[in-house]
Amino acid sequence: MRINVTRSALPPKEEYFEEIAFLWDSRWLTNMGEKHQTLERMLQEYFNAPNVTLFTNGHLALEGALAAFGLTGEVITTPFTFASTTHAIIRCGCKPVFCDVDPETYTLDPAKIEALITPETSAIVPVHVYGTLCDVEAIETVAKKHGLKVIYDAAHAFGVRKDGVSAACFGDASMFSFHATKVFHTVEGGCVVYREEALKHVLDRGKNFGIEGEDILSPEPNAKMSEFHAAMGICNLRRIELMIAMRKQVVERYRYNLAGVSGLTLLKEQPGVASNYAYFPVVFDGAKYTRDEAAARLGEEGIYARKYFYPLTNHCTAYGFRGDETPVAKRVSDHVLCLPLYPELAMEDVDRICEIIT
Ligand SMILES: *Cc1c(COP(=O)(O)O)cnc(C)c1O
């Protein structure tokens, strides 16, 4: 049987059907109905964060957040991410300025931020890659000193906590993606979590054509989450802790099998951080064969690992950057492979994958 890098979790059919049954009576299918309101409340509780606004996907949530803060000029960010992060900055009319990453965590290197700040800089958009938390304290220190906003792309970090505090609670705002491939999903979906309550109506307007009362204040997109998607989120949130615990077992098995294998670098565990075990990246550096050879060999066995994140976004044709300003990120991107990881992945399959690799 084919093994993909991920496999979407689903609740029991009956539970989902029960959750959506009353929509046949209410006929309130979208536009911030009861399921939408319930999921926003449940997420506020789950994150222990004051404000949550749902979106139709993570990407539009990130664009919504950047727009809500009225960012202009330059935004310091990482190229070691999915294109969505860079797209959002550019589509909001800003210029991404690429900062290199830390060689161990693959997240924005705070020591390299300050040299990139100019009078045009308005914000920092770091990414909690693979669910590994950025150095949130160091980033906050730089941001405070220079009066910059910090908006996290937390698409990978659902369920991650540092000393009990949710990843959602750092910076001015965080975007989460609820895409089907993510640790928690609503099929398609996303949200923004933020400190300032005053942003609520800006974000609500920003996902609904800019409508305010009978007027339209700005030409915004439609980025609302439907009741069917919110209902999926309600069901999935009920068993998120179990899903993360099952992922943890898979990751522990990988670690047990691959620890100490020469030429393979595994992601470090972060002290004080409860991981969500979202991805299992392996860096092939000096191993018997290259990352691409390993991926091809796994493919012959019907096992589809993925090169997250390759290419770097500062190498994508879309933006026209030269991309040589981030050598550490380049090195990771050229050697990293994410192995299959999902709650029901069988231990025998993990062992088989490891055998092929070693
Ligand atoms: C998935 C993802 C996004 C985009 O989220 P969607 O819900 O797919 O729009 C943005 N950034 C990162 C790092 C992601 O992995």
Side-chain angles (χ1 to χ4, degrees), residues 79-80 100-101 310 312 314-315 323-324 326-335:
F80 191 64
D100 213 346
V101 300
Y310 177 89
L312 294 175
N314 54 359
H315 285 65
D324 48 10
T326 55
V328 178
K330 174 83 164 64
R331 186 162 181 87
V332 181
S333 174
D334 283 343
H335 296 276

Side-chain angles (χ1 to χ4, degrees), residues 57-59 81-82 84-85 127 153 155-156 175 177-179 182 189:
N57 57 52
H59 179 78
T81 183
F82 182 48
S84 170
T85 321
V127 182
D153 179 334
H156 290 187
M175 173 279 281
S177 163
F178 304 154
H179 184 256
K182 303 294 192 319

Side-chain angles (χ1 to χ4, degrees), residues 231-244:
M232 180 61 83
I234 291 169
C235 294
N236 284 336
L237 196 51
R238 289 188 188 123
R239 54 180 62 69
I240 187 68
E241 297 307 335
L242 174 64
M243 293 298 122
I244 292 176

Side-chain angles (χ1 to χ4, degrees), residues 147-316:
L148 306 176
K149 296 285 179 206
V150 179
I151 296 146
Y152 282 102
D153 179 334
H156 290 187
F158 193 91
V160 175
R161 291 187 185 88
K162 183 180 173 121
D163 300 321
V165 177
S166 162
C169 297
F170 301 108
D172 296 282
S174 296
M175 173 279 281
F176 289 85
S177 163
F178 304 154
H179 184 256
T181 54
K182 303 294 192 319
V183 168
F184 165 77
H185 78 87
T186 60
V187 185
E188 290 272 5
C191 77
V192 182
V193 186
Y194 47 101
R195 288 198 182 174
E196 261 181 85
E197 202 189 335
L199 279 184
K200 174 115 190 108
H201 80 278
V202 183
L203 286 164
D204 279 341
R205 193 167 71 213
K207 70 181 184 187
N208 192 25
F209 300 103
I211 295 173
E212 177 97 17
E214 289 186 319
D215 199 5
I216 309 257
L217 297 192
S218 50
E220 307 296 347
N222 173 10
K224 304 186 299 289
M225 179 183 282
S226 85
E227 290 295 276
F228 288 82
H229 294 85
M232 180 61 83
I234 291 169
C235 294
N236 284 336
L237 196 51
R238 289 188 188 123
R239 54 180 62 69
I240 187 68
E241 297 307 335
L242 174 64
M243 293 298 122
I244 292 176
M246 289 168 79
R247 286 176 170 275
K248 181 175 186 204
Q249 291 194 326
V250 174
V251 166
E252 283 175 349
R253 188 75 161 215
Y254 270 129
R255 286 187 174 285
Y256 176 78
N257 286 340
L258 297 178
V261 175
S262 110
L264 300 187
T265 305
L266 311 184
L267 200 57
K268 296 237 171 15
E269 288 177 80
Q270 295 183 286
V273 175
S275 175
N276 61 356
Y277 307 96
Y279 298 88
F280 195 81
V282 175
V283 173
F284 289 73
D285 209 351
K288 265 180 278 178
Y289 29 78
T290 65
R291 178 267 310 270
D292 289 353
E293 286 164 349
R297 179 73 190 89
L298 287 165
E300 285 168 17
E301 302 281 336
I303 297 161
Y304 297 94
R306 292 290 295 271
K307 300 186 225 176
Y308 295 143
F309 286 100
Y310 177 89
L312 294 175
T313 68
N314 54 359
H315 285 65
C316 295

Side-chain angles (χ1 to χ4, degrees), residues 3 8 15 20 44 50 66 71 101 107 110 114 121 148 152 165 173 198 208 222 246 264 281 298 318:
I3 296 178
S8 301
E15 184 181 332
I20 59 171
Q44 268 170 334
L66 299 183
L71 300 185
V101 300
T107 61
E114 224 162 3
T121 310
L148 306 176
Y152 282 102
V165 177
N208 192 25
N222 173 10
M246 289 168 79
L264 300 187
L298 287 165

Side-chain angles (χ1 to χ4, degrees), residues 69-131:
F69 284 105
L71 300 185
T72 56
E74 298 174 1
V75 172
I76 296 173
T77 189
T78 168
F80 191 64
T81 183
F82 182 48
S84 170
T85 321
T86 309
H87 272 23
I89 293 167
I90 290 176
R91 289 169 51 85
C92 287
C94 296
K95 177 181 171 216
V97 173
F98 295 105
C99 179
D100 213 346
V101 300
D102 178 277
E104 281 197 358
T105 64
Y106 318 140
T107 61
L108 212 56
D109 186 344
K112 294 184 176 152
I113 294 175
E114 224 162 3
L116 300 172
I117 296 174
T118 75
E120 301 301 311
T121 310
S122 62
I124 307 172
V125 175
V127 182
H128 301 303
V129 191
Y130 306 133

